[in-house]
Amino acid sequence: QVQLVESGGRLVQAGDSLRLSCVVSGLTYTWYPVAWFRQAPGKEREFVAAINWNGGRIGYADSVKGRFSIVRNSAKNTVILQMSGLKPEDTALYYCATHRKTSDWGVEVSEYTYWGQGTQVTVSS
């Protein structure tokens, strides 16, 4: 059974930094991609960042480029989303996701099979 568990979300002030973690279990191989998405109240879930199986291809949404970074520790089955320069518009429920189809990632919600429960990030102004 594939499981993803996010952690690290909390209430912070604008300009602060935050580190989100995603632990993946239930996959017997390491060549899976991991993506972060977020969903604010009343809005659709949107792509934030993603990393392929070996960290060789990374991508970010334009809205977070230069502020967020994604890294993975395959030995620990963990993917980190390091966020800095947080803004009130970053407030959302953050999810990590993966799939079995390929070792690479995409930006569409529909491409992903497995999702975590999410971790709440709230940025006050």
Side-chain angles (χ1 to χ4, degrees):
Q1 180 181 353
V2 179
Q3 287 190 319
L4 295 91
V5 179
E6 306 95 336
S7 63
R10 61 183 177 91
L11 173 64
V12 297
Q13 293 188 333
D16 283 354
S17 297
L18 201 57
R19 184 173 183 260
L20 303 185
S21 295
C22 172
V23 178
V24 183
S25 62
L27 289 171
T28 58
Y29 53 90
T30 59
W31 52 89
Y32 55 87
V34 175
W36 285 94
F37 287 79
R38 67 186 182 186
Q39 188 165 18
K43 295 189 176 181
E44 293 188 352
R45 194 169 298 189
E46 64 175 5
F47 173 80
V48 175
I51 188 166
N52 75 332
W53 74 282
N54 65 355
R57 193 169 95 88
I58 292 173
Y60 300 96
D62 288 342
S63 59
V64 306
K65 277 181 184 175
R67 299 188 298 122
F68 291 13
S69 64
I70 186 171
V71 294
R72 73 186 292 164
N73 182 333
S74 294
K76 296 183 178 180
N77 295 329
T78 301
V79 174
I80 301 296
L81 184 67
Q82 181 67 49
M83 307 186 292
S84 61
L86 284 162
K87 305 174 182 180
E89 50 264 44
D90 294 318
T91 294
L93 191 58
Y94 283 71
Y95 299 90
C96 61
T98 189
H99 61 70
R100 294 179 182 266
K101 303 170 189 175
T102 71
S103 60
D104 208 349
W105 53 266
V107 300
E108 301 295 332
V109 170
S110 59
E111 299 179 61
Y112 293 86
T113 309
Y114 305 102
W115 295 81
Q117 292 301 305
T119 186
Q120 179 66 40
V121 173
T122 304
V123 185
S124 65
S125 57

